[in-house]
Amino acid sequence: MITTLSGDTSRLRATVDFVKEQDTATLLRLLLPGLDGPELRALAERCGFSHAALLVFPPDEAALDATLADCGLVADAPPRPSVIVRERLAVRHKRSAAELDVGILRPAVVCLDGARRWVEVFTLTVPPASDLDTVAVYERERQHEAHVAFEVETPDPLVLRGLCAAFGRYGAVPDGGGYNPHENGTVFYFTAPAEAKAGYRRVELYVPGDHRDVLAAHLDEHRARQPAETLLRLLTGAWTTQALAAFVRLDVADAMDRNAMDGKRGVGVAELARDVGASTPNLATLLRYLAMLGVVSEDRDGFRLTDTGTLLRADAEGSMRALALMYGGPFYESFAGLDHTVRTGQVAFEQRFGENHFDHFARDPELAELFDRSMAAGSRMFDPLPAHPVLTAAAAEGATVVDIAGGNGELLGRILSAHPRLQGVLLERPHTVETARRLLGAAGHTERCAFRAGDFADVPAGADVYVLSRVLHDWDDDRCREILRHCARAMTDTADLLVVERVLPADGSASLATAWDLHMMCNVGGRERRAAHYARLFADAGLTLVDRTPLPLDGSVLHVRRTGPADTGSKV
């Protein structure tokens, strides 16, 4: 152990010297040969050399403190958990991340140019006689985690994309990255070109804040170069679904909230396990996996919910708890029959449960309520909808809005809250109407809202605006035409229809609509469609697509009006 510790010390001293001697422009030129002139100046203005990093392997905390002291370094805080390096080590050495105690320290260094930078020290604790010795030997030899880092001065998505593109133009290749919820920072790793002269092959761009939207494209490019790793991650997607569902079924999110003293401290695993009636070591394994996903974070006090994890609480605003139960429950079971659907054209849900999606849920009141709540859980898609010009114009006239198959009234309630002069009508199945009546009553909308139990044939005539939200994707084209003809017959020549759906991109670009297309096919026999496809369905029903407005979560509002006299539907 003396030899290995002295090896860590010498490597750490060399890293300290390197940090002291470099400056941003010089280091960029060494890392990216050919980078010079205006582009070098532009990069140096937008990102600054911040640190160099290495991984050391102390047997305990005292040994780590001694190594730091030998190198003239003082840590001003205890190590913080490392999410990204721990995951990389786990994948590289085929070990569970839970058994790797990896921390991060950042002692400061005063450099020759007067700047204050730091050395980033990753620490993997390797107790004496531990089977982690082989990991330490391998990592010291190959130095996979040694890198130099630049911090982005302005964490703007456009700037960040530009920096990544510039690195790529000069030969740097994406090499992973991730978001660390413990410090709310996003890292982008690159491999420097072979001709780089800095002595480091890995380069990090560090960006304060959560930039996983930009990171996704960076990781996609990296994974395209690692097909086996990519496939393995894809194959374990079911584990993520069930981990989130188990987290919810055990009520862990709510227990964490109850015990976290208003989020001021983490909660210990033993305390949580007692509260939810779970095995302590097994709950710890689940929580560490969810920490890797950014659902919870871990510190010395225990675990706490991240902003993402908070959405799994029952009482959270915009809670997605019901979605976790639905996707980890009935829909998870039906997806096991996806090959049956693809092979035969029959709906997997019906094969698994012996009846269609709507009849099955209607037969079980608890399941029906869960489904309605899961639909409401995607309500962020609706946030901009009340401000749609059709609704704001209708509000000025004190008009009436009909929400067709409006579920538990989540969307109609938002519209009525935004526009106090509007009147509302909710059309739904009888058992759902009663739920909507309670919820809209609790929101104070009962006097302005009528409730009608019925089917699509019962769309009330003469209203000013009709809303058809996430309905058409449940059905095949013939049934969609029928539904739209019912709407057209109810509409006056001046009425508007707002259709809310996820629309498949015409260029094949990545979209949630593509995933939901598979989901609808497997579970209800429906489908998502392109805008041109919807326009044809509207035309067949005597309607015209006026325009399309984007919504969050890859949603769209399709504004539709009557073309002429209502179609009688004789050609259905």
Side-chain angles (χ1 to χ4, degrees):
M1 185 60 68
I2 294 175
T3 301
T4 57
L5 281 175
S6 62
D8 282 349
T9 301
S10 62
R11 290 190 303 118
L12 186 53
R13 282 181 181 144
T15 304
V16 171
D17 292 340
F18 180 88
V19 171
K20 288 181 177 180
E21 294 166 2
Q22 297 299 326
D23 63 78
T24 298
T26 301
L27 185 53
L28 281 170
R29 192 181 292 113
L30 291 173
L31 288 166
L32 304 173
L35 177 64
D36 209 343
E39 193 156 22
L40 172 61
R41 290 193 295 274
L43 257 67
E45 288 172 0
R46 288 169 173 78
C47 64
F49 173 45
S50 60
H51 68 266
L54 79 164
L55 174 62
V56 298
F57 307 90
D60 52 40
E61 191 171 338
L64 173 62
D65 290 341
T67 299
L68 294 173
D70 285 346
C71 299
L73 298 174
V74 178
D76 58 1
R80 303 180 71 174
S82 165
V83 174
I84 300 163
V85 172
R86 184 176 69 172
E87 182 182 355
R88 286 170 59 88
L89 289 172
V91 170
R92 198 151 57 233
H93 296 278
K94 298 179 175 61
R95 291 176 177 263
S96 166
E99 66 178 299
L100 303 177
D101 180 14
V102 183
I104 310 173
L105 288 166
R106 292 195 179 92
V109 174
V110 178
C111 304
L112 298 181
D113 63 1
R116 184 180 176 86
R117 301 188 179 95
W118 64 87
V119 175
E120 185 170 69
V121 184
F122 296 108
T123 67
L124 172 61
T125 303
V126 181
S130 166
D131 67 349
L132 294 176
D133 275 334
T134 56
V135 175
V137 170
Y138 178 94
E139 293 295 331
R140 281 195 184 97
E141 179 182 343
R142 289 166 178 80
Q143 296 291 305
H144 284 303
E145 300 307 325
H147 65 264
V148 291
F150 297 83
E151 183 164 346
V152 179
E153 304 292 342
T154 305
D156 176 87
L158 289 177
V159 170
L160 188 51
R161 290 188 180 95
L163 287 170
C164 289
F167 271 63
R169 283 196 298 275
Y170 288 91
V173 177
D175 186 26
Y179 170 69
N180 189 340
H182 302 293
E183 57 185 37
N184 189 28
T186 310
V187 297
F188 298 73
Y189 284 125
F190 296 85
T191 299
E195 58 271 24
K197 301 174 182 177
Y200 286 84
R201 292 300 311 282
R202 295 189 72 230
V203 185
E204 171 191 318
L205 279 179
Y206 177 83
V207 194
D210 185 347
H211 298 275
R212 279 177 281 188
D213 51 347
V214 182
L215 179 66
H218 179 82
L219 294 179
D220 285 345
E221 189 174 346
H222 167 62
R223 288 166 184 161
R225 301 169 186 271
Q226 307 289 333
E229 179 182 337
T230 297
L231 185 58
L232 187 60
R233 290 177 182 275
L234 293 173
L235 288 169
T236 59
W239 303 355
T240 298
T241 302
Q242 285 304 326
L244 292 168
F247 187 67
V248 168
R249 291 189 196 106
L250 292 167
D251 291 322
V252 183
D254 296 290
M256 292 176 78
D257 184 58
R258 285 194 301 272
N259 293 293
M261 298 174 59
D262 296 324
K264 295 179 180 178
R265 70 173 181 90
V267 184
V269 177
E271 181 180 358
L272 280 173
R274 285 194 303 271
D275 198 347
V276 303
S279 159
T280 299
N282 290 359
L283 181 58
T285 299
L286 173 63
L287 290 173
R288 289 192 183 101
Y289 179 79
L290 294 174
M292 182 178 73
L293 300 177
V295 175
V296 300
S297 62
E298 183 180 7
D299 56 29
R300 287 182 174 270
D301 293 327
F303 292 90
R304 70 180 71 205
L305 293 169
T306 63
D307 289 344
T308 299
T310 297
L311 292 175
L312 295 174
R313 279 178 22 213
D315 62 349
E317 183 178 355
S319 172
M320 300 179 78
R321 183 179 188 275
L323 278 178
L325 293 172
M326 188 63 69
Y327 292 166
F331 290 149
Y332 188 88
E333 292 184 47
S334 62
F335 254 108
L338 178 60
D339 59 328
H340 174 79
T341 294
V342 173
R343 184 174 59 251
T344 68
Q346 298 169 3
V347 180
F349 190 98
E350 295 175 9
Q351 182 200 35
R352 168 65 183 84
F353 293 102
E355 57 188 337
N356 72 52
H357 164 286
F358 298 104
D359 290 343
H360 184 73
F361 288 173
R363 195 182 306 281
D364 184 333
E366 290 187 8
L367 197 55
E369 182 184 358
L370 177 63
F371 175 70
D372 288 336
R373 284 191 282 115
S374 73
M375 290 292 289
S379 61
R380 194 169 73 84
M381 180 189 289
F382 303 146
D383 286 350
L385 188 60
H388 192 282
V390 163
L391 291 170
T392 54
E397 303 296 328
T400 298
V401 177
V402 177
D403 192 355
I404 304 165
N408 65 5
E410 169 72 25
L411 175 55
L412 185 58
R414 285 169 173 256
I415 293 171
L416 295 178
S417 294
H419 303 293
R421 294 186 62 190
L422 283 178
Q423 302 294 310
V425 179
L426 186 131
L427 173 67
E428 251 297 357
R429 297 156 293 168
H431 71 276
T432 304
V433 161
E434 293 311 310
T435 301
R437 192 189 302 274
R438 290 195 302 272
L439 294 176
L440 288 169
H445 299 315
T446 303
E447 292 184 1
R448 290 194 291 134
C449 189
F451 300 88
R452 179 172 294 194
D455 202 345
F456 296 112
D458 303 308
V459 177
D464 304 282
V465 181
Y466 294 83
V467 177
L468 201 60
S469 175
R470 297 183 297 178
V471 171
L472 297 181
H473 72 166
D474 289 333
W475 306 101
D476 63 21
D477 283 0
D478 286 343
R479 180 62 165 150
C480 284
R481 291 187 188 96
E482 182 182 350
I483 293 168
L484 290 167
R485 284 175 179 138
H486 287 310
C487 295
R489 280 193 288 270
M491 294 168 64
T492 65
D493 290 343
T494 59
D496 297 283
L497 171 63
L498 299 180
V499 176
V500 178
E501 294 287 356
R502 288 189 172 96
V503 177
L504 288 170
D507 60 1
S509 57
S511 170
L512 286 173
T514 305
W516 257 257
D517 197 20
L518 190 72
H519 168 69
M520 303 311 295
M521 177 184 76
C522 182
N523 286 290
V524 301
R527 61 184 298 183
E528 306 296 350
R529 298 169 172 88
R530 292 180 176 176
H533 192 156
Y534 277 118
R536 291 194 296 272
L537 294 177
F538 297 146
D540 289 345
L543 299 165
T544 299
L545 176 60
V546 178
D547 62 32
R548 172 185 167 192
T549 306
L551 291 174
L553 302 177
D554 284 346
S556 290
V557 185
L558 305 174
H559 176 201
V560 181
R561 303 201 78 178
R562 281 269 301 274
T563 304
D567 192 318
T568 63
S570 59
K571 295 179 287 185
V572 173

